Amino acid sequence: KFGSEKSALGLPVQAQYWSGSTWVINDGDSCTTVPANAFALSGGIAANTSAAALTLVAGNGTVTLAAPSPQAVGYVDVAANLGSSGADQSCLTSHGGTAANRPWLRAQNGACAATYDRDPSARATFGMRSPESRKIIHVREIF
């Protein structure tokens, strides 16, 4: 996910389950919460931002990262420590976070995962705009 370095950045989150043939959003999940201190931030400008708590509604939610202060351009790696203790088990370099004690939400996340015990992670970039492929070009013909 990417956005302006001048405002907060929301990372979309979904709770999904395997139906036997495809992944389905768990729209019955409106009670799962992950506290803010369970999100471990590392790399780049991690010291300049913070994460807010997550609450799912109908299987969807958003982890909001505060705008960097002081204002900075760069990236931050985010991992949710869903375990019962210790550092997160994401494919990122282990970097802590307070355990959320929700190990049942772990899955086979990322290329490093051989088993279903990995925490989800993502990279957020502040100060980067949409890719060129998403820009709109206005063309007008005059006769």
Side-chain angles (χ1 to χ4, degrees):
K1 184 77 176 175
F2 46 86
S4 172
E5 72 279 10
K6 298 176 183 176
S7 60
L9 183 60
L11 300 175
V13 176
Q14 291 183 332
Q16 300 178 350
Y17 64 90
W18 183 251
S19 70
S21 58
T22 186
W23 287 100
V24 178
I25 296 174
N26 186 359
D27 58 6
D29 188 346
S30 291
C31 60
T32 295
T33 61
V34 178
N37 61 359
F39 293 100
L41 307 179
S42 67
I45 60 170
N48 297 50
T49 188
S50 61
L54 166 70
T55 299
L56 295 180
V57 177
N60 291 289
T62 302
V63 174
T64 303
L65 298 176
S69 178
Q71 198 173 83
V73 173
Y75 75 93
V76 60
D77 289 326
V78 181
N81 184 350
L82 299 174
S84 300
S85 64
D88 71 89
Q89 296 296 317
S90 69
C91 287
L92 302 173
T93 303
S94 182
H95 53 272
T98 303
N101 201 25
R102 289 160 179 70
W104 59 88
L105 293 174
R106 287 178 161 174
Q108 193 173 3
N109 295 309
C112 73
T115 58
Y116 292 85
D117 66 347
R118 296 294 157 176
D119 290 319
S121 62
R123 176 170 281 186
T125 305
F126 288 94
M128 187 172 160
R129 307 299 190 266
S130 303
E132 292 296 321
S133 63
R134 295 183 65 189
K135 289 191 177 190
I136 297 172
I137 299 173
H138 177 73
V139 178
R140 181 173 82 176
E141 291 184 42
I142 300 176
F143 296 98

